[in-house]
Amino acid sequence: LIKVPFDASKDDWQISCLISEQIPYEASMADWNLEATVGKETLNTDVYCQVDGHCVHFLVEKFGKLALIGQPSRADVNLVKRVRLLAFLHSTCLSIHCVDDTRSALTRVMRHQRELGGRLCAINAGDALPLKLHADLCLSLESISSGWTVTAPVGHYQEIPSSRLCQSFAFDVHCSFSLDSTTSASQKIFQDNCCPSSLTAHLVIYQKDDYESAVHLKVDSNSWLNIEDHLRPFQPAVRLPQAVKAEISAMLDPPLESGNDWRMLAHLLGVAHYLPYFASRSSPSELILTLWESREQNCTAFVKLAHFLRKMRREDAYMALSNYLNTI
């Protein structure tokens, strides 16, 4: 099972999975095979894809390199993905990055900026920005503190074209404002960590023809921002002991005329969009429970599972789970 961060609205995207079995993994596009498209699976599809709000879960049975790709689900849809806006101060410029709202993308940019000597001085707090991929991103640097001037671009304004917003590599979607100091302010900022001539500015970011939805960032060279404060908390997936999982699976695997078997469990857990995948495996219930473990990230998951087993009128499976829970 593989869990991949996902930063877009699942209703707007048609998600597909590509796999390359070439070793080493420097594969060309000709070596990639389309294994599954969510909602268009066939009896020959050997991959199960579960798209959730912030993650995609894959059940795969082969080793290789996996890629997640997407395209518009409808011709009239305007694609949107969630991003964070980060501003980094360097000795001679202010760089602004438009980063996918995933832990891996944000930490990658932070690591790269630390290597370059950049300091995080602004980030859009709260919810991530819903970025429309069909519209240019406009940036305007305003209200710059005394002692500093913007040498480029002229007018303190620039745009990131929509064609670049579709790129997935986090470093590519960025721009910068060149700065010059009329004093030794910039040198003091980076040598002394504080100075009376600190840089402050107001950064306005919006998409063309939609200024009302502008994001306003306060740039402050003396601020100390922690990227961890803006990441979704990482929580380990819940786990059932293999013996308990096997016991419950043995009870739910046999098909029943009443339907309260693994098929009903799949519906209740929200993983029933491609039941033939589970039906063709030796233990569909075990795969469903493995997927449930990956999707759930807090202890209330056991309570929900117990509730569903009782709703299915499967007291045998409920008691097996209850007996385990009484031991922890």
Side-chain angles (χ1 to χ4, degrees):
L1 188 144
I2 301 173
K3 183 176 180 179
V4 179
F6 183 62
D7 65 347
S9 171
K10 63 180 182 179
D11 295 330
D12 295 337
W13 293 81
Q14 179 179 287
I15 304 300
S16 298
C17 170
L18 301 178
I19 293 181
S20 171
E21 298 182 77
Q22 294 297 314
I23 299 177
Y25 293 141
E26 302 300 326
S28 66
M29 285 305 299
D31 298 320
W32 289 87
N33 297 314
L34 177 62
E35 295 291 333
T37 297
V38 178
K40 295 186 177 181
E41 295 89 348
T42 69
L43 293 176
N44 297 321
T45 302
D46 289 330
V47 175
Y48 184 90
C49 303
Q50 177 68 34
V51 183
D52 290 336
H54 294 282
C55 288
V56 180
H57 308 261
F58 296 97
L59 288 170
V60 296
E61 298 180 352
K62 60 180 72 174
F63 290 103
K65 193 171 184 178
L66 182 146
L68 176 68
I69 63 173
Q71 62 185 19
S73 58
R74 306 181 308 278
D76 60 340
V77 69
N78 291 322
L79 293 182
V80 174
K81 68 176 183 177
R82 296 181 294 267
V83 299
R84 292 282 175 187
L85 300 170
L86 284 69
F88 296 92
L89 182 62
H90 297 259
S91 58
T92 59
C93 74
L94 180 71
S95 64
I96 297 91
H97 290 251
C98 181
V99 187
D100 294 350
D101 186 34
T102 65
R103 177 178 288 270
S104 58
L106 290 166
T107 54
R108 184 172 59 196
V109 169
M110 288 296 299
R111 182 170 59 249
H112 182 65
Q113 284 296 313
R114 280 195 295 268
E115 293 172 354
L116 297 177
R119 175 187 295 178
L120 180 64
C121 59
I123 183 172
N124 65 305
D127 295 335
L129 173 69
L131 186 71
K132 294 174 286 190
L133 300 185
H134 66 279
D136 297 346
L137 190 65
C138 308
L139 303 96
S140 177
L141 189 60
E142 305 171 356
S143 305
I144 304 168
S145 56
S146 59
W148 294 85
T149 58
V150 178
T151 58
V154 177
H156 305 182
Y157 170 87
Q158 56 185 307
E159 298 178 357
I160 298 178
S162 58
S163 58
R164 288 183 58 196
L165 300 180
C166 297
Q167 298 177 10
S168 60
F169 190 52
F171 297 163
D172 288 344
V173 187
H174 72 277
C175 65
S176 61
F177 293 87
S178 298
L179 301 174
D180 190 20
S181 173
T182 57
T183 66
S184 58
S186 62
Q187 183 178 5
K188 288 184 178 181
I189 287 176
F190 286 87
Q191 289 183 353
D192 304 334
N193 291 330
C194 63
C195 69
S197 301
S198 60
L199 171 67
T200 60
H202 187 68
L203 186 62
V204 183
I205 304 174
Y206 58 95
Q207 295 202 259
K208 189 167 286 188
D209 301 327
D210 189 17
Y211 185 83
E212 293 182 357
S213 301
V215 173
H216 299 262
L217 298 184
K218 180 182 179 181
V219 177
D220 186 351
S221 61
N222 288 332
S223 62
W224 293 95
L225 300 175
N226 185 355
I227 191 64
E228 289 291 334
D229 296 335
H230 303 276
L231 298 176
R232 281 186 293 275
F234 175 80
Q235 295 176 317
V238 299
R239 288 289 183 268
L240 273 176
Q242 184 58 35
V244 177
K245 190 190 300 185
E247 182 182 4
I248 296 175
S249 298
M251 297 172 180
L252 299 180
D253 280 343
L256 302 176
E257 289 187 9
S258 58
N260 60 338
D261 48 35
W262 65 268
R263 294 167 295 179
M264 184 178 291
L265 180 65
H267 280 285
L268 291 173
L269 294 179
V271 294
H273 78 269
Y274 178 40
L275 288 180
Y277 177 86
F278 300 112
S280 62
R281 269 56 187 178
S282 59
S283 178
S285 301
E286 185 167 345
L287 286 177
I288 291 169
L289 290 173
T290 299
L291 188 57
W292 164 79
E293 289 175 329
S294 176
R295 298 175 69 207
E296 297 290 347
Q297 293 188 338
N298 60 69
C299 59
T300 61
F302 291 112
V303 178
K304 289 167 57 179
L305 180 60
H307 169 72
F308 287 147
L309 292 174
R310 299 208 78 169
K311 188 174 182 178
M312 294 169 60
R313 300 184 183 278
R314 292 303 302 261
E315 292 297 322
D316 52 347
Y318 169 78
M319 288 305 301
L321 177 62
S322 181
N323 290 338
Y324 162 67
L325 295 179
N326 288 334
T327 65
I328 60 176

